[in-house]
Structure formats: structure tokens, C-alpha cells
Amino acid sequence: MADGVADGVADGVADSAADGVDDSVADRPSPVRRRVATGLLVLAVTPLTVLTAMRVVGIDGPWYTVAAIALTPYASVLALLLGGVALVLRRWWIGSIAFVLAVTLGSLVLPRLFSTAQPQAHGQTLRVLASNLYAGAGDPRTIVNLVRDNQVDVLTLVELTPDAVAGLDRAGLFALLPNRLLHPARGAAGSGIVSRFPLAELNLSGDSNAKEPSARLDLGGHGVQVVAAHPAAPTWDAGVWVAETKDLPRADPEQEPRIMAGDFNATLDHVVFRALLASGYHDSADEVGESLTPTWPADASAPPVTIDHVLVDNRIAVKAFHVLDVPGSDHRAVLSELVLP
């Protein structure tokens, strides 16, 4: 009997050990599954690495990388999430790379949430509104209401068509802002500047001046220069986008203060736009911590990005900035309250 009991115990221990091994093996991912998971993580982290390198080095590239760079704020969040997933799956080296990417991109993006000190400006207050009318489809009554309700002094309009001019006239725009410099055109090529103050046309934008008009506002004894900005969309032609952005005037402290407002088709992450800023401009939204507020597309048919801006030279203080809806347009309008030197 003792031998039988011993045999039974031995068999039970053996069976239990075998069951434990079987359960451990069953719980362990197969080599194929591990390789697939690693491959998917590498596939995800590779484009993020390329985007981060292009952003840090300063390369915009062809239209598809220009579009990708516009998504830098989203990429910083994606890199953080990807790093977390990689660490949960114990892919330590992939997780480490993803977290380095997240920190790098985050260091470029997070400062946009904070306001910065403004220059000591004690001159006239100027309210500037910029709107892309989406080939004239933007609602003219809304534009007029925004001008009236916000006591706008200067309005820049892009994608301004002849029909849009007629609609704005009927809605009463030119009764509020009687001075105008308009270059309407079919499609997206028309632009204009409308002002409470007298305007004198300038030529500050080189070959694209008809599309990106400029003028001097006479404020009575002194003036300010205004440019309606609208470089071509990079998805249409990246080369033209670069050329028309470079046509925009660099800041010049020897001239009167300058404001550029409109649809730049660029974010703060594009090197061609940062080069323009580096010449001596500030982005109004960035100055008050609002530069991550998206302006296009208005209907969120794609990840929304910030491509509409009001730029001011370094002598002008930014008091406030707002993003406003315009029915019918694929862009939201941008309003900046400025204090001149």
C-alpha cells in the first residue's frame, strides 16, 4: 500500500509539473507574434523619426512632407502614446526612441501654450481681422457683423472673388470700412485690404503683389504698413508656396511698423515660415499662447491645423487674439488687437 501511495503522489507531482509547463508555454507569445508586434512598432516609429529629424534640421521638402510637418503637434502626442505601448510590450529600445521623439517635439510645441512679454508700446490700438473666403463662399453678413461687433479697423481678405465683393458691398462692409484696395479674381487668387483709415497702395510683395497686396494706412501724422498674405497651398505646388512666401517682405526697422495678415498656408513648424518670423516678426497668436488654436479646416474634415496668422513686427505689442467662425468658408477668421509703438 505504501508503494501505491508513493506512486500516486509521484504521478500527481509529475502531472502538476507538466500542467504548469503547459500553462506557462501557452501564456507566452509565440515568436511569430512577437516579431509581428515589433515590426508594427518599428513601422510606426520610423515616420515619426523622419518627421522629427526634418523639423529639427529645418527641411520642409515636397508637398507631402510639408503636410506632415504641419501635424507636428499631433506627432508629439502620438510619439508619447507609442512609447507607452512599446514599454508595455517590453520593447525597450523602441519605447526609448519614441519617448526621445516625444520630448523633442514637445519641447518645440508646448511653449506655444504660454504668453510672452510684449514690447513697451503706447501708441494707437489697431484691430486687425483676416479671413479666407474660400473662393468667395464665405458668408458676407458674418464678415460685416464681425467687423461691426469687434470694431475692426483693418480687414484683409483672401480668395476674394468679384461676386464676394458685390456681396460684401450689399451687406454694408464699405459703409463701415470705406477705404479699400481690392484685387478680386476667380478662384483662390483674389485678395484685398479694407480699412477705416485712408490707404495708399505699396509694392512690398514682389512678383506676388497683385495676389498679396500691400498698403500704407494713414493714421494721421503717422502710418502703418499692411500686407494681405496668401502664398499658394503647398499641396498645389510646393515650389510656388516657397516662392510666394519668400515674396513677402522681411521686417525692416527703418520703415514704418508693419502687419501681415492672412492665410499663410504654413504653421510655426515650417522652416520657410519660421525664416519669415526670424527676420523680425512675431505671430500674434503665439504671443498670447493661442497658436495651437486651429484655423483650417473649419469642418474638421482633416486634422485641423493653424495656418492663418496675424504677424506684427517686433515694435508692435499684441493685446489679444481670437479665432472666429465664418459660415461658408473652410477657414476660420483670425482677429488680433494690437498696440502700435
Side-chain angles (χ1 to χ4, degrees), residues 71-119:
L71 302 176
T72 295
Y74 297 98
S76 63
V77 176
L78 181 59
L80 185 62
L81 295 175
L82 184 62
V85 171
L87 294 186
V88 168
L89 296 177
R90 299 184 180 183
R91 306 307 193 273
W92 310 117
W93 65 274
I94 299 177
S96 299
I97 292 173
F99 279 127
V100 169
L101 299 179
V103 170
T104 302
L105 295 177
S107 68
L108 300 171
V109 171
L110 289 178
R112 301 174 198 174
L113 296 173
F114 305 97
S115 60
T116 57
Q118 295 301 295

XYZ file of all heavy atoms in Angstrom, residues 71-119:
370
model
N 1.536 68.645 -39.034
C 0.928 67.817 -37.992
C 1.866 67.577 -36.809
O 1.625 66.680 -35.998
C 0.500 66.476 -38.589
C -0.498 66.541 -39.756
C -0.753 65.138 -40.304
C -1.795 67.190 -39.334
N 2.918 68.367 -36.688
C 3.893 68.182 -35.606
C 3.259 68.121 -34.218
O 3.638 67.261 -33.405
C 4.958 69.291 -35.669
O 5.712 69.140 -36.883
C 5.893 69.223 -34.482
N 2.287 68.982 -33.868
C 1.675 68.851 -32.534
C 1.028 67.489 -32.310
O 1.108 66.928 -31.208
C 0.631 69.981 -32.513
C 1.171 71.000 -33.467
C 1.800 70.195 -34.563
N 0.383 66.949 -33.354
C -0.208 65.619 -33.231
C 0.881 64.555 -33.110
O 0.733 63.578 -32.362
C -1.085 65.311 -34.452
C -2.265 66.229 -34.605
C -2.210 67.324 -35.466
C -3.446 66.005 -33.912
C -3.300 68.168 -35.617
C -4.537 66.841 -34.053
C -4.462 67.921 -34.909
O -5.544 68.761 -35.052
N 1.973 64.735 -33.841
C 3.060 63.762 -33.816
C 3.685 63.662 -32.428
O 4.097 62.574 -31.997
C 4.122 64.136 -34.850
N 3.760 64.776 -31.703
C 4.338 64.734 -30.359
C 3.491 63.870 -29.430
O 4.029 63.099 -28.619
C 4.472 66.158 -29.809
O 3.203 66.771 -29.662
N 2.175 63.983 -29.548
C 1.282 63.159 -28.723
C 1.359 61.693 -29.153
O 1.399 60.778 -28.307
C -0.166 63.680 -28.825
C -1.120 62.778 -28.044
C -0.252 65.111 -28.314
N 1.385 61.461 -30.464
C 1.461 60.096 -30.977
C 2.747 59.408 -30.524
O 2.732 58.225 -30.157
C 1.377 60.109 -32.499
C 1.427 58.749 -33.201
C 0.286 57.850 -32.727
C 1.363 58.933 -34.718
N 3.851 60.135 -30.523
C 5.124 59.553 -30.084
C 5.053 59.150 -28.614
O 5.569 58.099 -28.212
C 6.256 60.540 -30.316
N 4.407 59.978 -27.795
C 4.260 59.659 -26.372
C 3.425 58.390 -26.181
O 3.786 57.500 -25.390
C 3.614 60.838 -25.651
C 3.481 60.728 -24.135
C 4.856 60.626 -23.485
C 2.716 61.928 -23.587
N 2.310 58.292 -26.902
C 1.458 57.105 -26.799
C 2.181 55.858 -27.304
O 2.090 54.776 -26.702
C 0.167 57.324 -27.595
C -0.764 58.419 -27.078
C -1.936 58.604 -28.029
C -1.262 58.108 -25.677
N 2.913 56.012 -28.393
C 3.645 54.885 -28.960
C 4.717 54.395 -27.992
O 4.926 53.181 -27.830
C 4.282 55.297 -30.286
C 5.008 54.210 -31.076
C 4.028 53.113 -31.471
C 5.652 54.815 -32.319
N 5.376 55.334 -27.303
C 6.366 54.940 -26.308
C 5.745 54.143 -25.180
O 6.318 53.147 -24.717
N 4.567 54.551 -24.730
C 3.880 53.824 -23.678
C 3.518 52.410 -24.100
O 3.706 51.452 -23.339
N 3.000 52.264 -25.327
C 2.642 50.935 -25.838
C 3.879 50.050 -25.939
O 3.861 48.868 -25.562
C 1.952 51.061 -27.218
C 1.766 49.691 -27.854
C 0.602 51.753 -27.066
N 4.970 50.625 -26.435
C 6.202 49.842 -26.595
C 6.723 49.345 -25.251
O 7.175 48.194 -25.127
C 7.261 50.681 -27.302
N 6.643 50.165 -24.217
C 7.126 49.735 -22.905
C 6.217 48.663 -22.298
O 6.696 47.730 -21.640
C 7.237 50.939 -21.968
C 8.297 51.979 -22.348
C 8.405 53.036 -21.267
C 9.653 51.325 -22.597
N 4.916 48.793 -22.500
C 4.001 47.765 -22.014
C 4.321 46.414 -22.664
O 4.269 45.355 -22.018
C 2.540 48.170 -22.292
C 1.591 46.994 -22.075
C 2.128 49.336 -21.398
N 4.703 46.455 -23.947
C 5.037 45.226 -24.670
C 6.504 44.825 -24.484
O 6.970 43.892 -25.132
C 4.733 45.405 -26.162
C 3.262 45.615 -26.512
C 3.102 45.859 -28.009
C 2.416 44.435 -26.070
N 7.216 45.572 -23.629
C 8.610 45.283 -23.306
C 9.530 45.396 -24.517
O 10.536 44.678 -24.631
C 8.738 43.905 -22.655
C 7.962 43.795 -21.348
C 8.184 42.453 -20.685
N 7.438 42.372 -19.423
C 7.487 41.338 -18.587
N 8.225 40.281 -18.889
N 6.786 41.349 -17.470
N 9.210 46.305 -25.396
C 10.127 46.630 -26.497
C 10.881 47.886 -26.060
O 10.555 49.003 -26.445
C 9.377 46.863 -27.811
C 8.446 45.763 -28.264
C 9.156 44.388 -28.317
N 8.346 43.415 -29.036
C 7.402 42.669 -28.489
N 7.138 42.789 -27.186
N 6.727 41.797 -29.217
N 11.899 47.661 -25.235
C 12.525 48.770 -24.518
C 13.189 49.778 -25.454
O 13.058 50.986 -25.262
C 13.557 48.221 -23.516
C 13.025 47.122 -22.639
C 13.445 45.831 -22.589
C 11.955 47.232 -21.686
N 12.718 45.109 -21.668
C 11.798 45.943 -21.095
C 11.125 48.264 -21.275
C 10.842 45.685 -20.112
C 10.179 48.014 -20.292
C 10.042 46.740 -19.726
N 13.888 49.298 -26.461
C 14.621 50.224 -27.324
C 13.672 51.047 -28.181
O 13.905 52.242 -28.422
C 15.639 49.473 -28.180
C 15.051 48.508 -29.181
C 14.701 47.213 -28.952
C 14.768 48.779 -30.546
N 14.189 46.643 -30.096
C 14.235 47.579 -31.101
C 14.907 49.893 -31.366
C 13.841 47.482 -32.430
C 14.524 49.800 -32.703
C 13.996 48.603 -33.221
N 12.573 50.447 -28.622
C 11.589 51.211 -29.406
C 10.911 52.250 -28.511
O 10.705 53.402 -28.911
C 10.544 50.266 -30.031
C 11.214 49.269 -30.980
C 9.478 51.085 -30.782
C 10.263 48.257 -31.579
N 10.568 51.832 -27.284
C 9.951 52.773 -26.358
C 10.868 53.945 -26.040
O 10.420 55.093 -25.961
N 12.162 53.663 -25.885
C 13.109 54.739 -25.591
C 13.187 55.733 -26.741
O 13.194 56.953 -26.533
C 14.499 54.146 -25.312
O 14.452 53.294 -24.189
N 13.237 55.221 -27.963
C 13.273 56.107 -29.138
C 12.014 56.960 -29.204
O 12.068 58.172 -29.438
C 13.444 55.274 -30.427
C 14.823 54.630 -30.472
C 13.214 56.151 -31.664
C 15.012 53.662 -31.622
N 10.858 56.328 -28.988
C 9.590 57.058 -29.062
C 9.527 58.167 -28.016
O 9.064 59.279 -28.296
C 8.416 56.091 -28.897
N 10.014 57.898 -26.817
C 9.983 58.927 -25.775
C 10.949 60.066 -26.088
O 10.665 61.227 -25.792
C 10.299 58.308 -24.413
C 9.120 57.624 -23.782
C 9.218 56.318 -23.343
C 7.909 58.293 -23.638
C 8.124 55.683 -22.763
C 6.813 57.666 -23.058
C 6.914 56.368 -22.623
N 12.084 59.762 -26.683
C 13.003 60.829 -27.107
C 12.334 61.709 -28.165
O 12.438 62.947 -28.120
C 14.313 60.228 -27.651
C 15.153 61.298 -28.346
C 15.113 59.591 -26.522
N 11.638 61.094 -29.088
C 10.913 61.856 -30.106
C 9.834 62.726 -29.464
O 9.658 63.898 -29.832
C 10.276 60.913 -31.131
C 11.221 60.029 -31.938
C 10.429 59.137 -32.885
C 12.231 60.861 -32.719
N 9.105 62.160 -28.506
C 8.035 62.906 -27.837
C 8.594 64.117 -27.096
O 8.028 65.213 -27.149
C 7.277 61.988 -26.874
N 9.704 63.933 -26.402
C 10.312 65.044 -25.667
C 10.820 66.102 -26.631
O 10.646 67.314 -26.407
C 11.451 64.522 -24.764
C 12.255 65.685 -24.191
C 10.880 63.666 -23.641
N 11.438 65.678 -27.718
C 11.975 66.628 -28.699
C 10.863 67.463 -29.317
O 10.946 68.705 -29.370
C 12.743 65.878 -29.803
O 13.800 65.117 -29.210
C 13.323 66.855 -30.815
N 9.815 66.808 -29.788
C 8.708 67.542 -30.410
C 7.945 68.354 -29.377
O 7.511 69.480 -29.648
C 7.772 66.557 -31.118
C 8.370 65.807 -32.318
C 7.363 64.802 -32.872
C 8.794 66.776 -33.418
N 7.772 67.782 -28.193
C 7.067 68.513 -27.143
C 7.783 69.796 -26.759
O 7.138 70.814 -26.476
N 9.115 69.772 -26.755
C 9.862 70.983 -26.413
C 9.659 72.085 -27.450
O 9.837 73.271 -27.149
C 11.352 70.651 -26.290
O 11.909 70.316 -27.560
N 9.274 71.708 -28.668
C 9.008 72.694 -29.717
C 7.573 73.197 -29.676
O 7.299 74.334 -30.048
C 9.280 72.073 -31.094
C 10.718 71.582 -31.346
C 10.777 70.805 -32.648
C 11.691 72.747 -31.357
N 6.666 72.349 -29.208
C 5.237 72.657 -29.285
C 4.698 73.290 -27.999
O 3.932 74.259 -28.042
C 4.442 71.375 -29.622
C 2.939 71.606 -29.483
C 4.784 70.901 -31.031
N 5.093 72.766 -26.846
C 4.489 73.204 -25.581
C 4.665 74.689 -25.278
O 3.764 75.298 -24.682
C 5.038 72.362 -24.429
C 4.555 70.905 -24.394
C 5.203 70.146 -23.237
C 3.033 70.846 -24.272
N 5.774 75.338 -25.646
C 5.886 76.781 -25.373
C 4.778 77.622 -26.016
O 4.525 78.745 -25.573
C 7.257 77.144 -25.951
C 8.042 75.873 -25.854
C 7.051 74.794 -26.157
N 4.098 77.073 -27.012
C 3.034 77.824 -27.675
C 1.796 77.991 -26.796
O 0.884 78.743 -27.148
C 2.649 77.128 -28.995
C 3.820 77.002 -29.944
C 3.468 76.187 -31.177
N 4.678 75.721 -31.841
C 4.703 74.903 -32.874
N 3.551 74.440 -33.382
N 5.850 74.534 -33.424
N 1.759 77.288 -25.692
C 0.623 77.403 -24.784
C 0.769 78.581 -23.821
O -0.152 78.856 -23.049
C 0.472 76.109 -23.977
C 0.134 74.839 -24.774
C 0.178 73.629 -23.851
C -1.226 74.960 -25.434
N 1.905 79.259 -23.860
C 2.183 80.309 -22.879
C 2.403 81.649 -23.567
O 2.995 81.717 -24.647
C 3.410 79.932 -22.051
C 3.292 78.591 -21.376
C 3.857 77.460 -21.953
C 2.586 78.459 -20.195
C 3.736 76.222 -21.357
C 2.458 77.222 -19.579
C 3.027 76.102 -20.158
N 1.930 82.704 -22.931
C 2.110 84.056 -23.464
C 3.528 84.544 -23.178
O 4.221 84.016 -22.307
C 1.086 85.005 -22.852
O 1.230 85.051 -21.442
N 3.937 85.574 -23.923
C 5.272 86.130 -23.756
C 5.170 87.627 -23.487
O 4.152 88.270 -23.779
C 6.127 85.898 -25.014
O 5.468 86.482 -26.144
C 6.301 84.407 -25.272
N 6.231 88.176 -22.927
C 6.254 89.611 -22.617
C 6.194 90.423 -23.901
O 6.781 90.048 -24.927
C 7.517 89.944 -21.832
N 5.487 91.539 -23.855
C 5.282 92.382 -25.027
C 6.165 93.628 -24.966
O 6.546 94.077 -23.888
C 3.811 92.795 -25.129
C 2.868 91.640 -25.367
C 3.199 90.893 -26.635
O 3.099 91.441 -27.733
N 3.636 89.641 -26.497
N 6.498 94.192 -26.135
C 7.283 95.427 -26.135
C 6.493 96.573 -25.515
O 5.257 96.552 -25.481
C 7.552 95.669 -27.626
C 6.470 94.925 -28.334
C 6.175 93.727 -27.492
